[in-house]
Amino acid sequence: MRKTWNEFWGEFLLIQFHKDNPSRWTEREKRAKWIVDLLDLSPGSNILELGCGDGLLDICLGRLGMDVTGVDRIEKVIKLAKSEVKHEQVRFMDNDIRSLKFPEQSYDCILIFEVIGLMRKNDDINIITRSAEWLKSGGSIVIDCPKEPKENITTRKWSFPEGHLTFNVRYNSNSKKLEIIPLFIRNDGTEITLFDSFYNNNHAEGIQRYIYPIDELKAILEDSGLMVKEINNFFRPDHYALHCHKLC
């Protein structure tokens, strides 16, 4: 059985398995505080997160007094995120981040986590360029990217009440391409695989991701008029993080 990413992650995994997991809130609360402290944000600061996933980080930022917009294309996850907003100044948009339009100088901060490298390189560059335009003078972008894997082939496994999930991961150090093939086997033996043309040009199953060398990603950001420095990514040690500052 083949499912799209919207079905596989949004409905099938994120909602079914993660909805009642209290630890995910704790992790997002720590990340939100880290962002606010890192950027010295004041209550009312306008934040945009591109590829916000479950939206919990955005809600946690809202609870710290931020005015937040989260965007993701996984429809059912965004619907769930909207239902979890209480009195926070948080709004969610179900949209493809490649087609977003905002006025220039709209945001104090833009967050781009777990996004870069999943699309075509031209899409990555365009998103970074437009994000720089959406930033206010003195604003910041915080962006991350996986580090180059130490092993070319790995397998990751998780067990759930409904079955077992396996991620078979292959990395080509020459092309800098990471291939991730998820497989979920239900307890009744049904096998569910992932197919999503958003990630693949060749209609293969799974996800293909380009792993940017840090100097290459820095160059793209600097070409967009940003001052860039590497920062400690305390919540994802297998990812590097960059703090990008807009001077004018």
Side-chain angles (χ1 to χ4, degrees), residues 7-18 160 165 184:
E7 296 167 328
F8 190 94
W9 187 251
E11 174 183 3
F12 177 60
L13 286 178
L14 190 60
I15 291 178
Q16 288 189 27
F17 295 145
H18 292 191
F160 300 98
L165 174 65
F184 189 81

Side-chain angles (χ1 to χ4, degrees), residues 38-39 102 113 159 196 217 226:
L38 171 72
L39 305 179
F102 294 108
F113 296 137
S159 294
D196 197 330
L217 186 53
L226 299 166

Side-chain angles (χ1 to χ4, degrees), residues 25-35 60 234-235:
W25 281 103
T26 303
E27 189 277 334
R28 300 306 196 284
E29 287 168 355
K30 291 178 180 177
R31 187 181 299 194
K33 186 177 186 306
W34 173 73
I35 291 166
C60 290
F234 81 95
F235 52 85

Side-chain angles (χ1 to χ4, degrees), residues 1 17 26 64 67 75 78 81 83 99-100 105 112 116 135 141 185 194 197 206 229 232:
M1 183 186 304
F17 295 145
T26 303
L64 294 175
D67 188 315
E75 300 165 8
I78 289 297
S83 74
S99 59
L100 288 176
Q105 301 197 35
I112 310 176
I116 293 300
L135 271 187
I141 292 175
I185 303 178
L194 169 67
S197 59
K229 68 175 180 179
N232 180 39

Side-chain angles (χ1 to χ4, degrees), residues 6 10 20 29 33 85 89 95 102 119 129 158 195 239:
N6 198 37
D20 297 320
E29 287 168 355
K33 186 177 186 306
V85 176
Q89 293 297 312
N95 209 326
F102 294 108
M119 299 165 286
T129 300
W158 297 266
F195 169 77
H239 286 49

